[in-house]
Amino acid sequence: MQFSQSAMAGAETPKLAGLELRHDSILNKWVIISPARGKCPSDFKSTVNTSNQSASPCPFCLHHEHECAPKIFRIPENVSEWKLRDKKSLPSCVNGEQRIKPHIDSCADTLPRFGSHDVIIETPDHAMTLAIMLDLNIFDVLCAYRTRIQQLASNPHIKYIQVFKNHGETTRASMKHSHSQIIALPIVPSNVVTQLNNAKEYFTRTMNCNLYEYLRSEIQSKNLSLEESSHFISFVPFAASFPFETWIAPKDHASCYEQIEDEQAMDLAYILRRVLQKLNHQLGNPPYNYMIHSSPLRESYEPSYCHWFIQIMPQLTHLGGFEIASGCYINPIFLENITTILRGVNLQNQ
């Protein structure tokens, strides 16, 4: 479907001299747009070496499997020349303990480090990155996310599963070899609760999903979309926290990533590759994080107002004390300028 333009009620945007405050109606936070800091989009080129080129193989490379934790699964199975491997993370920030009974200690509730921490090794090739993979290989990565989420969801104690990728040294990537991570938790993180309570409040008031309405009205009316595929749209959010931050969302309402079908996953592979290639072309292979925001597994949230999406955040600036303390980020570029630049990146019909 194509999105039509219509008005969407939202928070009034207060403007100050030389800057603008914008409200992120999805994540329910404020962002300060401050072009007065003197930055223009062409100033943002990564100076961090995110290349995977290396003379020495690493534990994630083909034929070095013995240097890693045992695999959970791989694609394809039962052959030596694998294309993708899922393994346990060592060291892990969580473990597989089955004890989840809270322990009350004065003012603090504590839980054992129960959960699961996986590493998805996206390719056996040390020099390969997600941005230059074939769509079919990215499709394998996206399907691996789906498979592992479905496996972890069978544990009744798991309440939330976070898929994320750290690319580059400044993003806390522990290995240069291209990989993603999946962490399953017995709790729903507070940021997720805030986001979903905001979506629930909007649905109660309007009987509409806030992200779906955001896509078909705000993004279109403000001309912030980058491109559309059959099932997805990529866009620069109106209140992006970071320069060149980009989101990808299903055009039709969908609450859970793990319900993605093969045709949709192949379509997502295409548009994800194009977004990453545009960022690489414009920013010089920048460090970035991406996260899949999806619904909790066993909380009192309804699919009618949960809408999953991918958030891609190039790491081109550093957080200061104000951002850390307030949760209000400062973005030094008007997002409309970024949209124009990324649209203009020529990928030669790739």
Side-chain angles (χ1 to χ4, degrees), residues 220-240:
Q220 297 298 317
S221 65
K222 290 182 170 59
N223 200 26
L224 293 173
S225 63
L226 298 178
E227 61 181 298
E228 294 185 40
S229 59
S230 298
H231 300 283
F232 295 92
I233 181 171
S234 62
F235 59 95
V236 175
F238 175 68

Side-chain angles (χ1 to χ4, degrees), residues 1 3 212 215 230-232 249-255 264 307:
M1 63 176 289
F3 292 110
Y212 181 81
L215 294 176
S230 298
H231 300 283
F232 295 92
K251 294 197 295 184
D252 293 330
H253 181 74
S255 61
Q264 296 168 323
H307 195 127

Side-chain angles (χ1 to χ4, degrees), residues 37-63:
R37 288 190 164 195
K39 291 286 187 179
C40 62
S42 59
D43 293 331
F44 287 93
K45 289 282 186 180
S46 175
T47 59
V48 177
N49 179 18
T50 56
S51 171
N52 287 9
Q53 299 291 343
S54 173
S56 301
C58 76
F60 288 1
C61 290
L62 187 66
H63 306 312

Side-chain angles (χ1 to χ4, degrees), residues 51-69 82 85 87 119-128 174-179:
S51 171
N52 287 9
Q53 299 291 343
S54 173
S56 301
C58 76
F60 288 1
C61 290
L62 187 66
H63 306 312
H64 287 259
E65 297 83 359
H66 61 283
E67 300 177 34
C68 292
W82 51 271
R85 296 179 75 241
K87 72 174 192 69
V119 173
I120 304 289
I121 305 172
E122 299 161 350
T123 170
D125 184 349
H126 187 82
M128 183 63 65
S174 56
M175 300 283 285
K176 285 191 173 183
H177 194 121
S178 190
H179 68 283

Side-chain angles (χ1 to χ4, degrees), residues 26-318:
I26 306 304
L27 300 179
N28 196 24
K29 63 182 181 180
W30 286 95
V31 174
I32 299 174
I33 308 298
S34 181
R37 288 190 164 195
K39 291 286 187 179
C40 62
S42 59
D43 293 331
F44 287 93
K45 289 282 186 180
S46 175
T47 59
V48 177
N49 179 18
T50 56
S51 171
N52 287 9
Q53 299 291 343
S54 173
S56 301
C58 76
F60 288 1
C61 290
L62 187 66
H63 306 312
H64 287 259
E65 297 83 359
H66 61 283
E67 300 177 34
C68 292
K71 72 175 178 68
I72 298 171
F73 67 85
R74 66 182 182 183
I75 301 174
E77 287 282 4
N78 303 319
V79 296
S80 59
E81 301 293 322
W82 51 271
K83 296 190 295 181
L84 175 149
R85 296 179 75 241
D86 178 19
K87 72 174 192 69
K88 287 291 184 184
S89 177
L90 293 177
S92 172
C93 64
V94 292
N95 58 37
E97 294 181 28
Q98 297 300 312
R99 298 178 294 107
I100 65 163
K101 184 178 179 180
H103 170 68
I104 308 301
D105 182 12
S106 65
C107 296
D109 294 347
T110 63
L111 289 170
R113 292 190 307 125
F114 169 76
S116 178
H117 187 177
D118 291 25
V119 173
I120 304 289
I121 305 172
E122 299 161 350
T123 170
D125 184 349
H126 187 82
M128 183 63 65
T129 67
L130 208 62
I132 58 176
M133 286 184 190
L134 297 174
D135 289 355
L136 187 59
N137 297 124
I138 301 175
F139 168 81
D140 286 337
V141 173
L142 298 174
C143 289
Y145 297 163
R146 177 184 64 189
T147 297
R148 189 56 180 150
I149 292 172
Q150 290 172 345
Q151 291 174 350
L152 292 167
S154 65
N155 185 326
H157 301 307
I158 296 297
K159 293 185 177 180
Y160 191 75
I161 299 173
Q162 181 66 68
V163 178
F164 63 99
K165 179 177 176 67
N166 302 327
H167 173 76
E169 294 178 1
T170 63
T171 64
R172 301 194 61 156
S174 56
M175 300 283 285
K176 285 191 173 183
H177 194 121
S178 190
H179 68 283
S180 311
Q181 300 180 63
I182 302 176
I183 294 181
L185 297 170
I187 53 95
V188 180
S190 56
N191 282 357
V192 178
V193 172
T194 298
Q195 175 190 337
L196 292 177
N197 284 343
N198 181 58
K200 182 178 181 180
E201 186 278 330
Y202 184 87
F203 184 82
T204 301
R205 179 162 47 87
T206 67
M207 298 305 294
N208 289 311
C209 162
N210 65 346
L211 181 53
Y212 181 81
E213 288 296 298
Y214 182 77
L215 294 176
R216 77 181 189 91
S217 59
E218 186 132 333
I219 293 303
Q220 297 298 317
S221 65
K222 290 182 170 59
N223 200 26
L224 293 173
S225 63
L226 298 178
E227 61 181 298
E228 294 185 40
S229 59
S230 298
H231 300 283
F232 295 92
I233 181 171
S234 62
F235 59 95
V236 175
F238 175 68
S241 297
F242 295 89
F244 289 90
E245 178 179 340
T246 308
W247 293 11
I248 302 173
K251 294 197 295 184
D252 293 330
H253 181 74
S255 61
C256 302
Y257 174 85
E258 63 269 25
Q259 295 176 354
I260 192 171
E261 299 178 354
D262 284 354
E263 177 188 351
Q264 296 168 323
M266 181 59 79
D267 194 45
L268 178 58
Y270 165 80
I271 201 166
L272 175 59
R273 172 183 57 79
R274 287 181 61 84
V275 168
L276 294 178
Q277 286 183 344
K278 284 174 179 282
L279 294 173
N280 277 6
H281 185 279
Q282 179 62 33
L283 303 174
N285 190 20
Y288 66 83
N289 307 100
Y290 78 53
M291 299 77 66
I292 298 179
H293 296 261
S294 190
S295 299
L297 300 176
R298 293 176 180 86
E299 292 295 298
S300 56
Y301 298 106
E302 298 180 6
S304 52
Y305 55 80
C306 299
H307 195 127
W308 74 264
F309 65 97
I310 298 177
Q311 182 181 21
I312 305 169
M313 300 192 309
Q315 296 300 320
L316 305 170
T317 58
H318 300 285

